[in-house]
Amino acid sequence: EPEVTQTPSHQVTQMGQEVILRCVPISNHLYFYWYRQILGQKVEFLVSFYNNEISEKSEIFDDQFSVERPDGSNFTLKIRSTKLEDSAMYFCATRGGRGGNFDEQFFGPGTRLTVL
Amino acid sequence: GDSVTQMEGPVTLSEEAFLTINCTYTATGYPSLFWYVQYPGEGLQLLLKATKADDKGSNKGFEATYRKETTSFHLEKGSVQVSDSAVYFCALSGSETSGSRLTFGEGTQLTVNP
């Protein structure tokens, strides 16, 4: 069964450093998402991406964040200068897109980011 | 904006007990409603969904009915198993304001003891 994969599973970084989180979507999917979950809090939407551009973003997704699909397969989330409050589990999700907005989103296992 | 509220957890049950996890939502328009499950060390998996009022989603013995009059989507299972131990998330998408993004509830940790 096709699945979304994410690397690394755990990333530890120093405050102010740049991190790149990677996701490999299911191969025929067209829509890509990043969500995050701070420990003990809700899963929160960050950004959605379609046709090589951002289609929606939340207020969390400020100038420190960026997304791209550099090689047509990987979908990356970059945090330019990490803060302590960026420590969270980051989930990538993808969907096919043939059923309107209500298609299932398939989630990866997540990357746990720890900022020291 | 949209919001989803789940019953406070965690929930601990004995095997074969009846499960209810309450979920209510606030959204404009006619969103789709979902239950996702997260097993330890894994990502979120879709458990069931309903796309319009009075629809019942069902999977693996779990059921939830989309009740627009009470803005609810409560998850039920008649007889839980130890393997059902996981975190359960209620979510919505497709409201007038949310587009395709998912808005999640807080999650409910379910532990089923043998």
Side-chain angles (χ1 to χ4, degrees):
Chain A
E1 185 177 328
E3 60 182 17
V4 178
T5 59
Q6 290 185 242
T7 55
S9 57
H10 191 191
Q11 173 89 50
V12 181
T13 190
Q14 296 291 325
M15 191 169 54
Q17 295 297 304
E18 174 184 286
V19 295
I20 298 175
L21 310 183
R22 292 183 168 80
C23 169
V24 178
I26 294 172
S27 63
N28 61 346
H29 281 192
L30 304 175
Y31 295 83
F32 313 111
Y33 304 81
W34 284 102
Y35 295 84
R36 78 172 185 190
Q37 185 179 29
I38 296 171
L39 189 63
Q41 297 186 24
K42 292 186 179 188
V43 177
E44 302 171 290
F45 168 79
L46 293 178
V47 66
S48 60
F49 190 83
Y50 170 71
N51 200 26
N52 282 320
E53 60 184 32
I54 291 172
S55 43
E56 293 180 77
K57 61 181 180 179
S58 72
E59 57 278 3
I60 302 168
F61 194 87
D62 61 22
D63 291 345
Q64 291 300 310
F65 292 89
S66 62
V67 288
E68 62 175 359
R69 206 163 174 229
D71 55 9
S73 59
N74 288 288
F75 176 52
T76 63
L77 174 69
K78 182 192 291 186
I79 309 175
R80 270 182 260 284
S81 178
T82 51
K83 308 182 190 67
L84 295 176
E85 54 265 37
D86 293 328
S87 295
M89 181 73 88
Y90 288 81
F91 293 104
C92 173
T94 74
R95 71 179 173 95
R98 281 182 293 277
N101 281 342
F102 312 138
D103 276 359
E104 176 182 354
Q105 292 185 25
F106 292 80
F107 281 78
T111 292
R112 180 164 297 285
L113 176 65
T114 301
V115 182
L116 303 176
Chain B
D2 298 344
S3 67
V4 177
T5 302
Q6 290 181 232
M7 64 185 292
E8 292 186 13
V11 174
T12 302
L13 296 173
S14 298
E15 208 165 21
E16 299 183 4
F18 184 85
L19 169 71
T20 300
I21 301 177
N22 289 339
C23 171
T24 58
Y25 68 90
T26 302
T28 55
Y30 301 92
S32 287
L33 302 176
F34 306 85
W35 277 99
Y36 278 83
V37 59
Q38 185 178 31
Y39 299 102
E42 299 183 17
L44 286 79
Q45 301 172 27
L46 181 65
L47 180 61
L48 53 85
K49 68 179 182 182
T51 58
K52 60 183 188 296
D54 300 324
D55 268 3
K56 179 187 281 188
S58 61
N59 186 25
K60 299 181 181 179
F62 292 89
E63 292 183 340
T65 301
Y66 188 160
R67 301 285 189 204
K68 189 153 179 70
E69 64 276 14
T70 55
T71 61
S72 65
F73 193 54
H74 304 321
L75 182 69
E76 296 183 336
K77 186 175 185 182
S79 176
V80 294
Q81 306 300 313
V82 172
S83 57
D84 294 327
S85 298
V87 182
Y88 292 81
F89 295 90
C90 186
L92 69 82
S93 74
S95 75
E96 288 179 357
T97 54
S98 69
S100 66
R101 70 170 70 179
L102 285 163
T103 299
F104 286 91
E106 302 89 340
T108 301
Q109 172 78 56
L110 170 66
T111 301
V112 181
N113 295 318

